[in-house]
Amino acid sequence: QKEVEQDPGPLSVPEGAIVSLNCTYSNSAFQYFMWYRQYSRKGPELLMYTYSSGNKEDGRFTAQVDKSSKYISLFIRDSQPSDSATYLCAMSEGSGYSTLTFGKGTMLLVSP
Amino acid sequence: DAGITQSPRYKITETGRQVTLMCHQTWSHSYMFWYRQDLGHGLRLIYYSAAADITDKGEVPDGYVVSRSKTENFPLTLESATRSQTSVYFCASAASLTYEQYFGPGTRLTVT
């Protein structure tokens, strides 16, 4: 079992839809959770950063962490064609030697 | 301009040749990272550095060499390139291991 699982997609939705992107993980020591967005032929850029459990909202984006289920989600409201990208989850234990573990990414396609 | 840059952006080399990929950041971040991104594998950490002259192996270090004589630079060298090292290479930097990582635009390397 991989440490972080993420459905590769593609996930195709019409403009204006609510999108739910998810990752599951097996390491209960993960405490820091991030979502990166990667456009084609570009480097990943940080979208959301959360610590421990709970929700965090930033504009149309909401990140949710459920540590009891080892499950994190990114919700995108009123999706736009410009949201079409690959979304990578990443997580870390937060210890002095703990690097980020990435999911493989979910490709999202938002059609006009 | 502040940020993180990589050079070259595209490189074609032959099997057995040595090639060096450059990474430069202007934030004075302590940590720098090298990843490779391949279809089906996602982002995999090659090496990282906590400070000048301090480097450590990641998930896939074989065949790569790094050095960090200055905080702002973190070159990655393929001593004898192989076709399996054909990939997109991303450099990233962060203030600490638990802080968000900022990625460069990537170097697309082809080994023929």
Side-chain angles (χ1 to χ4, degrees), chain B residues 19-20 34 46-47 61-67 74-79:
Chain B
V19 60
T20 296
W34 274 107
I46 303 170
Y47 270 96
D62 293 343
Y64 302 95
V65 174
V66 292
S67 61
F74 191 37
L76 175 74
T77 298
L78 288 67
E79 293 192 301

Side-chain angles (χ1 to χ4, degrees), chain A residues 8-75:
Chain A
L11 176 62
S12 295
V13 301
E15 183 176 355
I18 297 174
V19 174
S20 173
L21 302 165
N22 311 295
C23 286
T24 59
Y25 62 94
S26 57
N27 185 351
S28 58
F30 284 145
Q31 297 188 76
Y32 296 86
F33 303 91
M34 301 168 204
W35 285 96
Y36 283 84
R37 177 176 62 195
Q38 185 176 21
Y39 290 115
S40 180
R41 294 186 171 260
K42 301 286 187 184
E45 56 177 334
L46 183 74
L47 264 183
M48 301 287 282
Y49 177 94
T50 54
Y51 170 70
S52 195
S53 285
N55 291 3
K56 184 175 183 178
E57 190 173 319
D58 184 1
R60 296 185 295 112
F61 299 90
T62 300
Q64 202 170 74
V65 175
D66 182 350
K67 290 186 70 179
S68 62
S69 302
K70 298 192 183 69
Y71 189 88
I72 69 170
S73 301
L74 177 71
F75 297 97

Side-chain angles (χ1 to χ4, degrees), chain B residues 54-82:
Chain B
I54 300 175
T55 61
D56 210 344
K57 295 178 181 179
E59 183 185 351
V60 289
D62 293 343
Y64 302 95
V65 174
V66 292
S67 61
R68 195 167 175 208
S69 57
K70 291 184 177 181
T71 301
E72 61 266 31
N73 296 325
F74 191 37
L76 175 74
T77 298
L78 288 67
E79 293 192 301
S80 178
T82 65

